[in-house]
Amino acid sequence: MADAKKLSPSLFTLIWNVSGFGVAFMLSEFVFDFRITGTAGPEILGGKAFGLAKMTQMGINVPPGFVASTDACKLYYEQNGTLPDAFWRELDDHLDQLELQTGKRLGSTTDPLLVSVRSGAPVSMPGMMDTVLNVGLNDATVEALAQSSGNRHFAFDSYRRLLQMYGEVVLGLNRNLFEVAMSKVMTDTGSSNPSEIPIGAVENLVEIFKLLINNSSDKQFNQDPREQIRNCMIAVFESWNGKRARTYRRNEGISDDIGTAASVVAMVFGNLDQESGTGVCFTRNPSTGEPGLFGEFLQSAQGEDVVSGVRTPDPVSSMAQVLPAAYTHLLEHAETLERYNREMQDIEFTVERGKLFILQTRDGKRTVRAAVKIAVDLVQAGLISVDEALLRINPRDLSQLLLPQLSSNHNFDVVARGLTASPGAAAGYVALDADVAEQRAEAGDPVILVRPDTSPDDIHGFFASNGILTAKGGLTSHAAVVARGMGKPCVVGCSALEVDLDNRSFSFGGVTLKEGALITIDGTSGSVIIGEPELSPASTGAELEVLLKWADAKRRLKIMANADTPIDAVNARRFGAEGIGLCRTEHMFFGEDRLPKMQAMILAVDDERRAAALAELQPFQSQDFSEIFKQIDQNPVIIRLLDPPLHEFMPNRSDVDDPEVIKRIDELVEANPMLGMRGCRLGLMFPEIYRMQVSAIADAAIAVHEWNGRWPQVKIMLPMIGFPSEMERLRNDAETILQARNVPGVQIGMMLELPRACLVVDKFLNSADFFSFGTNDLTQTVLGFSRDDAESRFMGKYMDDGILANNPFESLDVAGVGQLIGIAVNSISRAGRDVSIGACGEHAGDPDSIKFFHDVGLNYVSCSPFRIPIARLAAAQAAIRARTTIKGTGVETNPVEAS
């Protein structure tokens, strides 16, 4: 950004006289004529002006104009709401040129020049900043406009619009002041919309609006057209920091530092007569991606009428009947602009006395379903490369195609919000415990299981329910992990939710509802709604399969699934998993017929009883392993032996009457169970547990071999390993069992989820065949955060206050946890061992984390089945970006993209 002290007319302006044409083009650091913008892109001109400039230079009919750049906006804020005199002189010079170009003059009493002053950021922020139309009208020029147009109603209606916009945008008056006055005049005259108000009443309304401005503001409406333009430009720059713009940027992840440009464009009038009109259209259907114009049109109207709802617009195709020549030109321009920009376009246009003007083109907002189809179509049309198509889709958005979604324009109140544990939306009748959920589901009712928190006892309620909502818990809580594995929408940590099991009721703030009430939850946004808004159905389509096949051909990372049951394995294959990277054996004990046997094993008072209980559990594990092996075929299956502390399998103490059970529950309670008797420590203290599991794996492998003559690709993974002696003892135990059963080729590896293991990983190279970073626990142990407590107690405030930019349990803490992962990977690499290294926490389904895993050199990631398409695309994007960075060239991009 230039130093304002250095700005002077001689340095600030460069005038190119084009001989023979009498046209003077001006190039400056801050103001650009649409006809010549040099190499300036949307980051300087703003997306709107960049598009107008490119269309002007292509020969498309665009109203003449110029733009004050985003650098001018930045300078405005740097200089505490002021701009140097040199800038304003440059603005006046461009206004002089605009008068020459149009043959009209600002303030003329015969044929006045009127302009719009429009905002336009480098990235699309539709409706978030301000625009003022009909600038240049005053008490004298309105009479001149009435005379030159031959339409007095049009002239005074345009003046009325300027007064309202100027009052709201420039002077900051409440919109309601003008709406009330307008409504009264319409009622008094029996008019259904402003275009029907008689001319005498419109002229009276102009005077009323001027009085409102003079009485409600310390400033009066400025009658000087050039001063109007100055004031409007400042208002546009001010709107960059308006509340709605700041909120939008925060939600969309847009930087506050890029600023907005402000365009000054000669007005064309869609409300001049019946040969005029205005509209907005897309070059494709923004919901489906199907080609063809899709939009709206209003005859004899200005652009604000289309979007304000004052009048009901017609489909854009209706132009073919009333303005056929203009419609033909619109079709031609739409095709030209889509091909030129190589992207679906969102086009604003006006027709003035039969002549079409394009007022804006930018890349159109669309659903992910449409985005996928458009990307594939454009590749097949030869307009973009496969790399570009893959980079245009946000991997996170793919979840919208896999599960029902809550529409963004639903009219229901969101009564509470929680953590987005598992995507998708579901509606159902509230059940406050798993038994009621099962009963209602058996009766054919859709169910939402609502609990303070969940435990393995609730598993039958999970199967019965369409979705799960809990008051407590984090993104790696029981409810979150199980729901993700099942592909069921889930919202956890909903702090506004209170569940009263005694009275069979629940409440959000001051709203209390009884069990059986109908609610909707959205695991994609964390929203909770009373009632049942319409949900968008899951919709994948052939184009998504094409896109993901392209992604598979580009990525290096192998994509595996976290799958704990045969049903999970089916879903994993369906979504394209290349094996199972994490089979959590504890989840196999949650079934109604299994949990009592698991609890009997835990309650056993001696080795004999414990062995008897384990003997009853082993067939269940063998059966599940066998079915998973069959579903995955010859792809690898990594089975993690029992990890969680035993108390998680026990019922809540308050629900138990048996003194012996209560005593055992009390014995199992730990001060810090996540760092206590769990993982490999459990296997070393009670070796019969792990021996039973390894025996079950051997049984299943033998059964599959007898079934198809092939040994499954089984791997056993040991959790929470911190010391080489732990790994060596447990490996020896497992190998003894496998060798005794003649089961060949089973690799035995370990999870890297403790900082010590990462730092001394070279000490494990002789005892571990592979490694997998358990990033959930590794994040917890590196940051010193109890994950459930962090997410329910302080994580939200940390993010709101900017202490943390992201939740480290959702997106990997690259600077801290990532550095430790890098140390471990480098240590393995230096040792020269060719071993597989992966990641199997929920970060393995997060696109930003996947990029890091690719860059650091992992071999695979493993995520929940319903996040596999996200991971496939994210891994391809990581590979594309890494390849272009290494080569020192950018991905092939659109050279003249109108944003």
Side-chain angles (χ1 to χ4, degrees):
M1 188 177 299
D3 186 337
K5 295 178 181 178
K6 297 179 182 178
L7 299 176
S8 68
S10 59
L11 293 176
F12 197 82
T13 306
L14 171 64
I15 300 179
W16 286 3
N17 290 305
V18 181
S19 59
F21 293 94
V23 180
F25 291 118
M26 288 167 287
L27 292 177
S28 82
E29 192 166 358
F30 292 123
V31 187
F32 296 82
D33 190 297
F34 289 163
R35 293 169 292 180
I36 181 163
T37 53
T39 59
E43 73 283 355
I44 294 174
L45 304 178
K48 184 172 296 183
F50 180 71
L52 289 170
K54 291 306 173 186
M55 287 190 291
T56 299
Q57 294 160 30
M58 291 167 61
I60 290 176
N61 202 32
V62 172
F66 60 87
V67 59
S69 71
T70 58
D71 285 339
C73 178
K74 296 172 192 175
L75 183 63
Y76 175 81
Y77 282 102
E78 287 173 7
Q79 298 200 344
N80 299 316
T82 63
L83 284 165
D85 290 343
F87 172 82
W88 296 116
R89 288 196 294 272
E90 182 66 14
L91 183 75
D92 281 335
D93 288 344
H94 277 79
L95 288 173
D96 292 343
Q97 288 298 314
L98 188 60
E99 288 179 331
L100 289 173
Q101 194 176 354
T102 60
K104 300 180 179 183
R105 296 186 62 82
L106 291 164
S108 168
T109 55
T110 55
D111 190 12
L113 171 64
L114 304 180
V115 300
S116 61
V117 181
R118 297 173 177 268
S119 59
V123 294
S124 180
M125 294 175 56
M128 295 301 109
M129 292 171 295
D130 291 325
T131 287
V132 185
L133 306 179
N134 306 322
V135 182
L137 279 173
N138 56 28
D139 292 346
T141 55
V142 68
E143 293 290 352
L145 182 64
Q147 183 68 31
S148 63
S149 67
N151 187 335
R152 190 171 184 81
H153 189 284
F154 149 73
F156 277 85
D157 184 59
S158 298
Y159 195 16
R160 181 269 305 173
R161 293 169 189 263
L162 169 64
L163 288 166
Q164 180 169 350
M165 285 181 145
Y166 193 93
E168 292 174 15
V169 173
V170 177
L171 303 179
L173 300 182
N174 192 314
R175 178 183 182 85
N176 195 49
L177 284 172
F178 301 98
E179 295 296 339
V180 169
M182 168 75 81
S183 179
K184 184 176 187 307
V185 170
M186 288 174 62
T187 300
D188 291 346
T189 59
S191 306
S192 59
N193 64 66
S195 66
E196 296 178 359
I197 301 175
I199 179 57
V202 175
E203 293 184 37
N204 186 47
L205 191 59
V206 164
E207 296 305 316
I208 292 172
F209 278 12
K210 286 193 289 186
L211 280 174
L212 285 174
I213 291 172
N214 294 339
N215 293 337
S216 304
S217 172
D218 56 357
K219 299 178 182 178
Q220 296 196 359
F221 175 71
N222 200 310
Q223 295 278 330
D224 183 339
R226 294 200 178 218
E227 285 299 317
Q228 289 178 12
I229 293 168
R230 285 187 175 213
N231 294 338
C232 290
M233 185 163 287
I234 289 172
V236 166
F237 288 157
E238 285 286 338
S239 72
W240 173 252
N241 267 346
K243 181 178 179 181
R244 68 181 187 271
R246 293 198 313 271
T247 300
Y248 184 87
R249 290 199 298 273
R250 184 172 64 251
N251 290 340
E252 296 294 317
I254 299 170
S255 170
D256 290 330
D257 300 329
I258 59 177
T260 182
S263 298
V264 178
V265 186
M267 284 294 302
V268 288
F269 296 100
N271 59 336
L272 187 57
D273 53 31
Q274 292 300 305
E275 291 294 307
S276 305
T278 190
V280 178
C281 68
F282 297 88
T283 55
R284 292 169 182 259
N285 186 314
S287 294
T288 67
E290 292 294 332
L293 279 194
F294 181 94
E296 296 175 322
F297 169 76
L298 268 177
Q299 191 174 12
S300 188
Q302 278 197 326
E304 62 175 306
D305 298 329
V306 177
V307 296
S308 68
V310 173
R311 292 172 59 186
T312 302
D314 297 314
V316 69
S317 57
S318 66
M319 271 183 71
Q321 282 71 49
V322 294
L323 298 170
Y327 184 66
T328 298
H329 288 145
L330 180 61
L331 290 172
E332 293 169 352
H333 289 334
E335 182 180 359
T336 298
L337 289 170
E338 179 171 290
R339 293 187 66 84
Y340 183 78
N341 291 293
R342 304 182 308 147
E343 181 60 285
M344 180 189 87
Q345 294 298 287
D346 173 0
I347 298 171
E348 294 180 17
F349 63 91
T350 285
V351 181
E352 182 182 273
R353 288 178 169 162
K355 186 175 183 179
L356 176 70
F357 293 86
I358 305 296
L359 305 184
Q360 174 172 285
T361 188
R362 60 185 173 191
D363 292 350
K365 299 284 187 182
R366 81 296 301 271
T367 65
V368 65
R369 176 187 172 193
V372 169
K373 176 172 175 52
I374 291 166
V376 172
D377 284 356
L378 293 177
V379 170
Q380 293 173 342
L383 294 176
I384 63 174
S385 67
V386 169
D387 284 5
E388 284 181 278
L390 293 170
L391 290 173
R392 286 186 177 188
I393 308 300
N394 185 337
R396 292 181 178 87
D397 291 343
L398 294 186
S399 63
Q400 298 174 27
L401 299 178
L402 308 176
L403 295 162
Q405 296 292 321
L406 183 65
S407 173
S408 59
N409 58 359
H410 69 83
N411 295 317
F412 287 67
D413 291 333
V414 175
V415 295
R417 292 187 186 275
L419 299 174
T420 57
S422 183
Y429 300 101
V430 169
L432 296 182
D433 63 55
D435 293 336
V436 172
E438 193 171 52
Q439 291 164 11
R440 292 214 65 159
E442 289 174 352
D445 294 330
V447 176
I448 301 294
L449 178 63
V450 176
R451 299 283 292 157
D453 53 19
T454 64
S455 73
D457 284 332
D458 295 315
I459 191 65
H460 56 298
F462 276 69
F463 284 116
S465 300
N466 289 21
I468 297 92
L469 170 65
T470 69
K472 303 174 185 176
L475 295 175
T476 53
S477 63
H478 171 268
V481 171
V482 175
R484 275 194 297 269
M486 293 181 173
K488 290 181 183 279
C490 179
V491 175
V492 300
C494 182
S495 58
L497 169 65
E498 294 184 10
V499 180
D500 185 347
L501 293 174
D502 292 334
N503 293 309
R504 308 305 291 182
S505 65
F506 61 103
S507 61
F508 303 102
V511 180
T512 300
L513 301 165
K514 300 296 287 184
E515 183 174 33
L518 181 64
I519 69 168
T520 299
I521 64 169
D522 181 22
T524 304
S525 67
S527 304
V528 182
I529 292 168
I530 298 173
E532 185 179 12
E534 184 177 355
L535 302 181
S536 303
S539 173
T540 53
E543 286 83 5
L544 179 60
E545 290 303 313
V546 171
L547 190 84
L548 290 176
K549 285 180 180 177
W550 290 343
D552 293 341
K554 298 287 183 179
R555 61 182 168 85
R556 178 186 61 76
L557 280 173
K558 194 171 186 176
I559 308 300
M560 303 174 75
N562 299 344
D564 312 321
T565 66
I567 293 174
D568 291 344
V570 170
N571 286 327
R573 285 292 297 274
R574 179 160 66 96
F575 289 118
E578 298 169 278
I580 293 176
L582 176 64
C583 177
R584 294 161 289 204
T585 53
E586 59 268 18
H587 290 179
M588 296 177 176
F589 299 132
F590 290 161
E592 278 188 295
D593 53 344
R594 305 177 184 196
L595 189 58
K597 292 177 172 57
M598 185 65 177
Q599 292 171 343
M601 185 275 291
I602 297 170
L603 291 169
V605 295
D606 54 44
D607 293 345
E608 184 178 348
R609 294 186 189 183
R610 186 174 298 109
L614 287 169
E616 290 192 61
L617 285 170
Q618 183 171 328
F620 291 116
Q621 291 240 287
S622 295
Q623 181 182 355
D624 283 350
F625 291 146
S626 178
E627 289 301 315
I628 289 172
F629 295 160
K630 291 176 181 178
Q631 290 295 338
I632 296 301
D633 196 22
Q634 285 297 290
N635 286 312
V637 177
I638 301 176
I639 298 172
R640 183 184 72 186
L641 300 188
L642 192 65
D643 180 37
L646 293 180
H647 81 273
E648 290 195 6
F649 296 96
M650 299 303 291
N652 291 324
R653 193 180 189 280
S654 58
D655 296 334
V656 177
D657 297 324
D658 188 331
E660 183 180 347
V661 176
I662 292 173
K663 179 183 177 183
R664 183 59 172 150
I665 292 172
D666 290 341
E667 289 173 350
L668 291 170
V669 170
E670 297 179 277
N672 192 344
M674 297 309 291
L675 296 177
M677 181 71 79
R678 58 169 291 203
C680 68
R681 302 154 200 165
L682 194 64
L684 289 165
M685 295 299 293
F686 301 99
E688 58 271 25
I689 296 177
Y690 276 14
R691 288 169 186 165
M692 179 277 288
Q693 292 195 295
V694 175
S695 296
I697 293 169
D699 289 343
I702 291 168
V704 170
H705 182 257
E706 291 174 350
W707 174 63
N708 67 7
R710 295 181 295 179
W711 290 101
Q713 300 300 305
V714 189
K715 300 184 181 185
I716 293 174
M717 184 159 64
L718 300 171
M720 293 299 286
I721 296 287
F723 299 92
S725 54
E726 293 171 326
M727 183 66 194
E728 290 160 5
R729 292 189 184 193
L730 291 172
R731 181 186 181 100
N732 289 339
D733 239 16
E735 285 183 327
T736 299
I737 295 169
L738 294 168
Q739 290 167 5
R741 303 294 300 278
N742 294 317
V743 178
V746 177
Q747 292 188 2
I748 300 175
M750 60 178 277
M751 296 192 74
L752 291 170
E753 50 194 338
L754 296 175
R756 186 183 194 280
C758 293
L759 291 171
V760 299
V761 69
D762 57 311
K763 307 300 183 185
F764 295 97
L765 289 174
N766 292 326
S767 56
D769 297 323
F770 65 92
F771 299 93
S772 181
F773 290 99
T775 55
N776 296 338
D777 275 313
L778 188 58
T779 296
Q780 183 172 230
T781 52
V782 171
L783 271 59
F785 285 178
S786 165
R787 57 195 179 196
D788 288 350
D789 291 329
E791 287 173 333
S792 63
R793 299 295 180 87
F794 62 83
M795 190 66 73
K797 183 166 177 60
Y798 264 43
M799 294 172 66
D800 289 342
D801 291 353
I803 298 171
L804 290 176
N806 300 295
N807 183 337
F809 292 106
E810 291 182 0
S811 192
L812 192 77
D813 167 34
V814 172
V817 179
Q819 184 171 351
L820 202 57
I821 291 173
I823 290 170
V825 172
N826 288 334
S827 182
I828 295 169
S829 178
R830 283 196 304 270
R833 283 288 305 277
D834 183 18
V835 296
S836 179
I837 312 171
C840 60
E842 279 308 311
H843 298 98
D846 169 64
D848 292 334
S849 305
I850 288 171
K851 182 182 184 303
F852 170 78
F853 294 143
H854 173 95
D855 293 343
V856 82
L858 298 196
N859 303 108
Y860 71 90
V861 295
S862 182
C863 59
S864 58
F866 286 85
R867 299 183 81 177
I868 287 169
I870 295 171
R872 290 165 68 186
L873 179 57
Q877 291 181 347
I880 293 167
R881 292 189 171 110
R883 184 178 70 248
T884 54
T885 300
I886 291 169
K887 289 181 178 179
T889 60
V891 175
E892 182 186 346
T893 54
N894 183 357
V896 282
E897 182 176 69
S899 301

